[in-house]
Amino acid sequence: QVQLVESGGGLVQAGGSLRLSCVVSVSIFNINYMGWYRQAPGKQRELVAAIPDGGRIELADSVKGRFTISRDNAKNTVYLQMNSLKPEDTSVYYCYVRGYYRGNFDVWGQGTQVTVSS
C-alpha cells in the first residue's frame, strides 16, 4: 500500500509562514505527479501547487509569489512552503501523488488544517 502522511498544519497570524510536509511510503522516483490541494467549507477542492514529472511547476494565481512547492528525493518528501499567509488561505490542505509501484496508484493524504487569523 502506498501511504501519505501529512504534517505541519496549525494556527498562524496573517503575514506569518508555515511549511507543510508530506512523506510518501515509496520512492519519489516512482512518482510522476505530486501536488498540494486545498478545500475550504462549502468550496470545491482546488489545486494550490504541483510538480508534474518532467513538467513545469504549477502554482495557483492566488498563491504565486507567496507559496513554493519542493521535494526531497532522499527523504521521499514533498513540501509546501507558505509565506505571507492571508486569512483566505484558511483551509484543509491535502497532499496528492500519482505514480507506479506494483501497479498504477493515486493517493491522497489525510489532510491538515491551516488556519490564518486576522
Side-chain angles (χ1 to χ4, degrees), residues 18-38:
L18 208 60
R19 188 179 76 163
L20 306 183
S21 299
C22 176
V23 180
V24 186
S25 65
V26 299
S27 172
I28 288 181
F29 294 112
N30 297 105
I31 299 171
N32 53 44
Y33 180 96
M34 54 179 52
W36 289 94
Y37 293 73
R38 65 187 181 187

